[in-house]
Amino acid sequence: MTDIFYETITPNRHLPFRLLIHDNGVAHRVLSHWHHSFKIAYVITGENTNFTVNGQHFDQSKGEVVVINPYEVHSLDLPTDHKRVALTVMLPNDILTASNIAIETHIQNRIPNDTQLQGYFNTLYQTTRHPATTGTQAEQIGLVYLILSDLVTHYSQADATKRTPHYSAQMDHLSPVITWIDRHYQEKITVEKLAGIANLSASYFAHLFQKYLNQSPLVYVTSRRLLAAEKQLLTTSDSLEAIAFTTGFPNVKALNVAFKHHFSQSPNQYRLTHQ
């Protein structure tokens, strides 16, 4: 199980963007988060199930392009599927600036049947099957610029209403909180503590969190703890008491209640059926 939360975009070595290949078929859960720039997902085979973008839930099918625009909250909850092969391209703001693309540009989220884009992505994937050389890296850079050009030319529009400085500033209040939760979920956490990290009042912070992440701050904290508990259940023989203690639940009963509500199984049942 892979855990990813608020993400900054760190390019691959020798590439001006981040290119990720997902081909091991393992279960993969990404909690609600966002970026300051564009993220593009593409499925080679299989599907990316349980995709959520701005509160809209869908399954990304083979050959479909999904674009996550700056500050769009998204999440993913993939089951184990060894037939699934997908890739993700994450574009730092430097690429947008160099390409004269405004941050207010909004690209259509779902593009199911563009044969030209499919060709670019399939070729991009094939380049990753060979040893990295200056030539393959140059080809990857060229393909990503072609993909970006195609998306902006055919599937974009200005969207100044959502990505105003006020909007982005509100979102930026939340990013250090997400990072802090990821590092401190084992501790006792209150809304007041999180609001202090965001330098906001507790009531306004809770309002912003609910507005942009579609859940309360403490529900998010519980989700983070459940990810850690699930990982320990599947990768260790630790007792439920030890797991509850190390993942921030006050006791085993609280762990059981939260786990069963989320996974529809008790921790012990889940361990037995998934190990």
Side-chain angles (χ1 to χ4, degrees), residues 136-152:
T136 58
Q137 290 164 347
E139 185 177 7
Q140 289 168 354
I141 292 169
L143 286 165
V144 168
Y145 274 102
L146 285 171
I147 289 167
L148 182 59
S149 173
D150 194 286
L151 291 172
V152 171

Side-chain angles (χ1 to χ4, degrees), residues 157-273:
Q157 60 184 13
D159 188 21
T161 59
K162 287 196 68 177
R163 262 155 289 283
T164 62
H166 177 67
Y167 177 91
S168 59
Q170 288 181 316
M171 295 291 285
D172 287 342
H173 275 299
L174 300 179
S175 61
V177 177
I178 298 300
T179 301
W180 189 91
I181 291 171
D182 184 32
R183 295 172 181 170
H184 299 272
Y185 63 85
Q186 306 94 331
E187 303 173 14
K188 182 178 180 180
I189 298 177
T190 64
V191 173
E192 288 74 17
K193 173 68 175 177
L194 299 178
I197 295 167
N199 293 314
L200 299 170
S201 70
S203 60
Y204 187 59
F205 166 75
H207 166 74
L208 281 186
F209 204 100
Q210 182 70 48
K211 178 178 179 180
Y212 292 117
L213 275 78
N214 298 307
Q215 58 192 298
S216 72
L218 295 186
V219 166
Y220 185 92
V221 171
T222 297
S223 296
R224 178 62 184 97
R225 288 170 172 164
L226 285 172
L227 280 180
E230 180 191 20
K231 185 174 183 178
Q232 289 191 39
L233 282 168
L234 299 181
T235 60
T236 75
S237 58
D238 293 350
S239 67
L240 293 188
E241 289 80 5
I243 292 175
F245 177 76
T246 58
T247 57
F249 289 97
N251 50 54
V252 173
K253 181 179 179 181
L255 170 61
N256 274 319
V257 170
F259 201 95
K260 191 165 186 178
H261 176 76
H262 186 83
F263 293 99
S264 301
Q265 285 183 302
S266 71
N268 281 330
Q269 290 171 328
Y270 192 88
R271 176 179 260 169
L272 287 172
T273 56

